[in-house]
Amino acid sequence: MKAAKRREEILSLIGNAETPIPANVLAEKFAVSRQVIVQDVAILRANGYDVTATNRGYVLNAKIQASRVFKCRHSFDEIVDEGVLIIEAGGKVEDIFVNHRVYGRISARLDLINRTHVEELYRSLVSGASKPLMSVTDGYHYHTVSADSDEVLDKIEEILRARGFLIEI
């Protein structure tokens, strides 16, 4: 087994375990030395994973999330498409903001993590109670998107670009 695959499996095991998993148990499972497991955990930590070594074994805490701002433009009717594309690719839409020429930066927290949240947002905008922020800037707007890794954000960027939603900054 390649080292990268072993580290993925270590993350999965300790992330899904209800109790800490000792290094010697992981070493036995992967047929490597305890020292190899210790090195793997050091590499995982260097890559942003919050792995804690307790006296009973390893525990995976929250993983450090990556985030990126995307400048987008699309029609009102494509709001759901944009949100769903981001979420299905593994992202969370943290907020939306626009840079208004008179009022400056105007932002709103969104915290969209699933399709239902996106559809609820769209329904509230369709009801006419409020206009989307992008309407004051001719459709141009920014989203802060978070994900588990920069690789996921790269994928989201590619998807938004392919769909024609991404504006190059």
Side-chain angles (χ1 to χ4, degrees), residues 6 15 27 29 34-35 42 45-46 55 99 114 139 153-154 161:
R6 183 179 59 245
K29 174 167 181 45
R34 182 182 177 285
Q35 186 57 38
R45 286 179 177 147
N55 61 351
N99 290 321
N114 60 41
L153 292 171
D154 291 343
R161 184 177 289 116

Side-chain angles (χ1 to χ4, degrees), residues 6 10 22-24 26-28 30 32-42 58:
R6 183 179 59 245
I10 289 170
N24 63 335
L26 293 169
E28 188 176 309
F30 295 108
V32 295
S33 70
R34 182 182 177 285
Q35 186 57 38
V36 168
I37 298 299
V38 170
Q39 290 170 348
D40 283 342
V41 169
Y58 292 113

Side-chain angles (χ1 to χ4, degrees), residues 119-138:
E119 290 169 351
E120 287 172 359
L121 171 68
Y122 183 73
R123 277 194 299 275
S124 68
L125 293 171
V126 167
S127 74
S130 293
K131 298 277 186 204
L133 278 179
M134 63 185 225
S135 67
V136 300
T137 54
D138 196 31

